[in-house]
């Protein structure tokens, strides 16, 4: 990276204590979209309104996924700690 890019990148970084929320946001955004694609395809197939149906499903799925990840993440971290050596 050039010095200018590094300078701009450092300016937009958030504090470490918000990491769980940023993780949940990214995970919910990606997973809800992928699941909306798959479930819409399974339910309706690919038709002329496929992406419109996907985005309608995504509007419901993304906020739900965000809340679910915030709730489930600590449980998963604990389960991984109980399952994997060195945690």
């Amino acid at each position: 990276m050039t010095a200018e890019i590094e300078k701009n990148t450092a300016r937009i970084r958030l504090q470490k204590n918000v990491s769980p929320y940023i993780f949940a946001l990214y995970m919910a955004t990606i997973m809800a979209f992928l699941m909306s694609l798959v479930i819409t395809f399974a339910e309706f197939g690919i038709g002329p309104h496929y992406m419109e149906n996907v985005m309608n499903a995504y509007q419901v799925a993304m906020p739900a996924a965000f809340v679910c990840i915030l709730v489930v993440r600590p449980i998963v971290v604990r389960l991984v700690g109980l399952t994997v050596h060195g945690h």
Side-chain angles (χ1 to χ4, degrees):
M1 270 195 244
T2 66
E4 183 64 27
I5 292 172
E6 286 182 23
K7 181 180 174 185
N8 289 337
T9 303
R11 205 177 321 150
I12 61 170
R13 292 197 177 215
L14 300 171
Q15 295 176 347
K16 189 173 182 168
N17 63 338
V18 299
S19 292
Y21 304 104
I22 299 302
F23 174 87
L25 177 67
Y26 290 156
M27 180 67 81
T29 300
I30 294 166
M31 290 304 299
F33 184 69
L34 293 174
M35 293 305 299
S36 295
L37 287 169
V38 171
I39 293 169
T40 301
F41 173 74
E43 187 68 25
F44 303 111
I46 295 181
H49 301 290
Y50 176 69
M51 284 310 295
E52 182 181 338
N53 291 336
V54 166
M55 295 314 293
N56 287 335
Y58 181 74
Q59 289 177 354
V60 175
M62 198 294 190
F66 181 71
V67 171
C68 289
I69 290 169
L70 288 176
V71 171
V72 171
R73 185 181 182 277
I75 298 167
V76 172
V77 168
R78 176 87 170 127
L79 289 172
V80 169
L82 293 171
T83 309
V84 178
H85 287 291
H87 278 264

